[in-house]
Amino acid sequence: MLERFDPRNWPISYEALLEHLIVLGGSVAIALLVHWVVFALLRRIVRKSSSQVDDIVFDTVRRPLRWAMVGFAISVAAENDALVGRGWDIFASFIVPALVGWLAFAAVKGAALGYEKQSLESEDPVAQRGRMTRIAILSRTLRVAIIIITISLIMLNIPGVRDVGTTMLASAGLAALAVGAAAQPALKSLIAGLQMALTQPLRIGDLVKVDGQAGRVEEIRMSFVTVRTWDERVLVVPTSRFLDQSFENWSRVSEKLTAPVMLHLDPIADITPIREEFERFVTDHPLWDGRNLALQMTEAYPESIELRLAMSSATIGDLWTLRCDVREHMLGWLKENQPEALIRHRLEVEAANQRVMGG
């Protein structure tokens, strides 16, 4: 029973086997030599290029392309050698899709890394965030598609799996309904992710406010978006939430914003010196960008008035710091110069105590 595995019983001589090995080894050696020569020439060309994309793509595809060329060399040898051809035919249907998928995956990954690195050199932060978001979503979609297609091609070469596929085609109507119902959430997430990449209602790095929480967008995936708040919490929000419902994007066009500091004072407050001090302080502050500066009385009640101190800054972070500095400075200035303008809700009984003690 085991006699057929004895090399002495094989219908081929050792000399012929040695010739087949020499043909196979020679083909592989020539493929590796061609790969080395081609990439040595390409390396010189890439170094002369000013773009960084081709450098990164060159590094990522070098290894998978080496194995792809080895597979091509074996295919050439199989065409001219029957023994090699019989052995290669068994594995080619599995190895070729895997090598092609690996090469395509590496090329997409390298291009994405290259364009991301190139985008970081942009001086416009809004354009930079837009490109980073589009690159991240589209490259992730392409890589997932490449993996699915590669695995499908490999699995279809397995006779059992192919038979199952043929059986399923016989009941295509029922199968389509079942697959469609099961894949509806995944398809919805895929469409939402692609729509996010094309329309870009938000981008990586944008400052957004959703569900009453404000934070920076850290990651955009097909099914969810992560938002990092100021206290380092991470909000995980479904991607469809940003497409189906409203939210605030504070850096959609640029990070230049105008924001107020609200002061509630006593109606006896003298507004003119308060306005002069506010304008003097903000004008001298290094974080003010010179666009907007105004103090207005927005409300007046019998027991209080409301002042809105509006100012602008170049970035959202600078604006937050400027508002904090203005709030602290103006309260300190009011304590020293107009203490009567500060509202007090206290019960003063000092005179009444003196009368009681005197009586």
Side-chain angles (χ1 to χ4, degrees), residues 164-347:
V164 172
T166 305
T167 304
M168 291 181 62
L169 288 176
S171 57
L174 182 60
L177 291 175
V179 173
Q184 184 177 1
L187 292 176
K188 184 178 180 180
S189 298
L190 176 61
I191 295 173
L194 293 176
Q195 186 176 354
M196 186 77 72
L198 296 176
T199 60
Q200 291 190 351
L202 77 162
R203 295 152 299 194
I204 296 176
D206 278 356
L207 185 61
V208 299
K209 185 175 183 180
V210 56
D211 296 332
Q213 302 288 333
R216 291 276 182 183
V217 176
E218 280 194 341
E219 190 177 14
I220 300 177
R221 291 188 173 271
M222 292 298 177
S223 55
F224 64 88
V225 176
T226 59
V227 179
R228 175 79 65 172
T229 61
W230 68 272
D231 54 358
E232 300 184 356
R233 290 179 295 118
V234 177
L235 303 178
V236 181
V237 186
T239 304
S240 58
R241 164 70 171 78
F242 294 97
L243 299 174
D244 298 337
Q245 303 180 32
S246 61
F247 66 96
E248 295 183 21
N249 190 336
W250 294 350
S251 56
R252 179 68 179 84
V253 178
S254 70
E255 290 206 1
K256 295 180 178 180
L257 291 180
T258 299
V261 168
M262 309 303 295
L263 293 181
H264 297 270
L265 304 178
D266 193 278
I268 201 175
D270 190 357
I271 306 301
T272 300
I274 297 177
R275 178 180 288 109
E276 293 175 353
E277 178 60 23
F278 164 66
E279 293 178 351
R280 183 201 64 79
F281 178 78
V282 175
T283 302
D284 295 337
H285 201 286
L287 298 182
W288 183 57
D289 63 355
R291 291 187 301 116
N292 295 321
L293 180 65
L295 185 150
Q296 296 175 313
M297 182 186 297
T298 55
E299 294 290 349
Y301 302 102
E303 297 181 354
S304 66
I305 59 173
E306 182 184 77
L307 301 183
R308 185 179 68 185
L309 288 64
M311 67 214 77
S312 62
S313 193
T315 65
I316 297 175
D318 292 344
L319 182 60
W320 172 264
T321 303
L322 177 60
R323 292 170 64 197
C324 294
D325 292 346
V326 167
R327 191 178 293 111
E328 180 180 355
H329 173 77
M330 293 306 298
L331 286 178
W333 184 87
L334 288 169
K335 291 177 183 178
E336 295 181 0
N337 297 273
Q338 290 193 41
E340 67 280 1
L342 298 176
I343 299 176
R344 294 179 176 84
H345 297 286
R346 301 185 181 92
L347 181 62

